[in-house]
Amino acid sequence: MSHQAVTSHRAAFVALTALAPVSWGSTYYVTTEFLPPDRPSSPV
């Protein structure tokens, strides 16, 4: 495998790995900032 292919593969892996925390963080932000404070976030 060439150096360019390894670098490209590594960049794709890092980007994919970064998606989970970004997704969780954005969901947490929306939940804490935009939902009314007197409402539960999930129906019980």
Side-chain angles (χ1 to χ4, degrees):
M1 209 185 292
S2 70
H3 178 67
Q4 185 178 7
V6 170
T7 303
S8 176
H9 186 269
R10 179 175 287 175
F13 181 73
V14 169
L16 183 63
T17 303
L19 280 177
V22 169
S23 174
W24 181 88
S26 62
T27 302
Y28 178 80
Y29 179 77
V30 168
T31 302
T32 58
E33 296 297 319
F34 295 112
L35 290 180
D38 59 342
R39 295 271 178 110
S41 60
S42 63
V44 178

